[in-house]
Amino acid sequence: KELKKLAREGYWAASRALRAQVYHQLIQQVTCRLVTPDALVYRDVASRLFGKLSVSSHPLPEFLEGCSMPTYCLNLEGVSALKKILICVGSLFPDITYSPILPSLVALLLHYSEDEAQCFENISRLIASNAPHTGYIDQSFLAHQASCMTFGDLANKHCPAAHKLIASTSENVFEVYSGWLSWLFHDLPFNYAIRVFDVYLLEGQKVLYRIALALLKQYRLSVTSAELEGTDIKADLQAFVQNIAEHVTVDKLLERAFGIRLFSRKEIWLLQMANRKALMERGITLVQSSNGSPPSCRQSFHLAVDIQNFSSSIVTAQEMRIVWSWIPERFSLFPPLLLFSTSEDGCSLQRFYSCCEGYEPTVLLIKTTEGEVCGAFLSSDWSERKKSGATSGFFGTGECFVFTVHPEAERYEWVFIKKPELAKAVPRSRQRSPSPSPASLLGSSPDGCSTSSNRLTVPTPQRKGRLSPFLAIRHFLLPSKTASMFMSGSREGIIIGGGGGQALSLDANLLWGRTEHCETFDNPPLCQENFKVQLLEVWGFQ
């Protein structure tokens, strides 16, 4: 804790010698693979590779194709050493296939190394780190893209104002977020980048997410949507970061970064793993570049909601794109697929279930007879309701949220997204608290008036070998059971959100509904409290 405090406050920024000593000692304590190349190996390989030849006669490793080469004020000798180290890394780490961050990290380390051999040894330890949930350097296109998607997910949750601005002015939101690492280790001035490096060595990749989120928040404060009309927002953000000294000091930037409450390293790691899995399912594992330009995994199909071909009886294509910009990155890879519609399938709850089962997640859209439009993003398959037996239990994860589209577009997430410190991580040995049962919460009257129930249902254990879902409630020790009432279904109707009221409840005929403030999402009523359904649609992901 003391070291973290010193790093965050820039204690060793005043002395080059102190910083060099601290860097070397910190990196020597990084747990890494048993056989990791050191300074002696570097001297041997470098003399064998280069001899008396100039470094310029050797091509850079393939994993740097299309990547920029920041030099951070290194002189010609330093730039030559940078290239030699990268060539030796390519020779000794053949498994690295893509790592755009590596040149910047080597260039920064060179400033604080005794010689290039020590710099090589230290960067090798960061590459070979095997500490659980604490990666330092992505080493494949798949891992890099998953990190970009994870940043997009975190920006969506922690910088809603900036995300909304970018989504409304950019054709491709992911393309903007794909530059997040470049903001830190390419665009930031040296005196900012090295302070980022201080905390990064101590705290791993999670700290990079924090600082990039703080930059995004700062950017939002400095621009208006009117100024961004017709602007290349990715280039504008890059220019903003390059001129960050005009907007905020490095101390203030770090202070704001550490004021952002993120979930645990393990939880973020689970999100990254889920994003990697989605990319693999989509067949996106290799670099797809041309003309030496930096590759992007989704240039052709990120705009999953096709304006020309999208058709809904409830929302326009532009409104659906707003909803799609709220959902987790790994699902927005896929275009929307209409699963159920009351106009085509009738007002039958059983038909609703049969059409939606087997799809995870889903988006529920409701249009009332008053013309209001609201809905919910539901992270779990509706077939989960059957696992509770006779009693209907709540299920779902903290990725569920409710929203309004008309008259205003607004999203209301799980209450612990904004206050993760209230939901402490549960030790692995602890079992998840049972969920409260919503049985009898739904009334049969048109206005959906509810009665209470004290019955509890215990969820089934997680299947072995399956990756635990991101924001699964069993990962958290919640202050109250009403904080995790995401979704529930029975023969009497469906409920979304609970605790002090339900965010949305619908009867068995999908005709009458009710909306109230609830503790799970801390939302206001999403439309008129007692409403009649004009149209209902459920969308899945192709």
Side-chain angles (χ1 to χ4, degrees), residues 494-509:
I494 63 171
I495 296 173
I496 296 151
Q502 291 118 41
L504 274 173
S505 58
L506 292 167
D507 69 2
N509 298 315

Side-chain angles (χ1 to χ4, degrees), residues 22-99:
V22 168
Y23 279 7
H24 188 62
Q25 289 190 12
L26 284 177
I27 294 173
Q28 289 301 307
Q29 289 173 32
V30 169
T31 59
C32 54
R33 297 194 290 269
L34 196 60
V35 182
T36 300
D38 59 12
L40 286 172
V41 171
Y42 175 78
R43 291 189 183 99
D44 178 52
V45 171
S47 65
R48 193 157 38 82
L49 277 177
F50 305 110
K52 293 179 181 178
L53 294 172
S54 163
V55 70
S56 60
S57 62
H58 286 263
L60 286 170
E62 280 187 22
F63 67 76
L64 294 177
E65 184 190 344
C67 301
S68 58
M69 187 75 67
T71 54
Y72 289 117
C73 317
L74 291 172
N75 59 22
L76 286 174
E77 189 183 346
V79 172
S80 177
L82 167 63
K83 290 179 179 175
K84 281 171 72 177
I85 292 167
L86 290 170
I87 291 165
C88 287
V89 165
S91 173
L92 289 162
F93 292 92
D95 290 344
I96 300 178
T97 55
Y98 187 72
S99 190

Side-chain angles (χ1 to χ4, degrees), residues 429-481:
S429 58
R430 290 282 299 275
Q431 292 234 337
R432 187 186 107 178
S433 302
S435 296
S437 165
S440 307
L441 281 176
L442 278 160
S444 56
S445 60
D447 64 6
C449 290
S450 61
T451 57
S452 64
S453 167
N454 294 317
R455 281 184 289 169
L456 297 177
T457 174
V458 180
T460 54
Q462 182 74 7
R463 291 202 300 276
K464 281 188 177 178
R466 185 182 170 192
L467 197 66
S468 186
F470 176 57
L471 299 188
I473 60 169
R474 64 177 166 277
H475 302 170
F476 303 96
L477 193 61
L478 300 174
S480 74
K481 292 183 174 68

Side-chain angles (χ1 to χ4, degrees), residues 165-235:
L165 181 72
I166 292 168
S168 65
T169 53
S170 174
E171 278 289 289
N172 192 332
V173 179
F174 180 80
E175 191 64 20
V176 176
Y177 290 147
S178 67
W180 79 280
L181 272 172
S182 295
W183 304 342
L184 303 177
F185 291 126
H186 181 275
D187 301 327
L188 275 180
F190 177 83
N191 59 323
Y192 281 70
I194 201 65
R195 288 287 300 279
V196 172
F197 196 74
D198 289 347
V199 288
Y200 166 65
L201 282 185
L202 265 173
E203 305 185 46
Q205 194 178 42
K206 181 179 174 181
V207 85
L208 301 185
Y209 288 130
R210 283 189 191 282
I211 296 164
L213 290 171
L215 284 168
L216 200 57
K217 282 177 176 280
Q218 190 66 39
Y219 175 71
R220 177 64 189 91
L221 292 174
S222 70
V223 295
T224 63
S225 49
E227 290 172 343
L228 290 176
E229 283 298 322
T231 304
D232 178 349
I233 199 165
K234 187 175 182 181

Side-chain angles (χ1 to χ4, degrees), residues 220-290:
R220 177 64 189 91
L221 292 174
S222 70
V223 295
T224 63
S225 49
E227 290 172 343
L228 290 176
E229 283 298 322
T231 304
D232 178 349
I233 199 165
K234 187 175 182 181
D236 197 55
L237 239 168
Q238 187 179 14
F240 171 81
V241 175
Q242 288 167 352
N243 298 298
I244 190 67
E246 297 173 11
H247 304 279
V248 64
T249 65
V250 66
D251 287 304
K252 200 70 186 168
L253 179 67
L254 291 176
E255 182 187 318
R256 287 174 182 168
F258 289 106
I260 298 169
R261 308 300 302 169
L262 291 184
F263 287 106
S264 68
R265 274 198 191 99
K266 182 186 174 185
E267 207 61 42
I268 292 171
W269 177 81
L270 284 172
L271 177 58
Q272 278 186 285
M273 291 303 102
N275 284 335
R276 283 179 73 145
K277 185 183 173 194
L279 286 166
M280 289 172 76
E281 285 172 358
R282 211 49 223 262
I284 303 157
T285 56
L286 299 171
V287 179
Q288 300 160 346
S289 64
S290 59

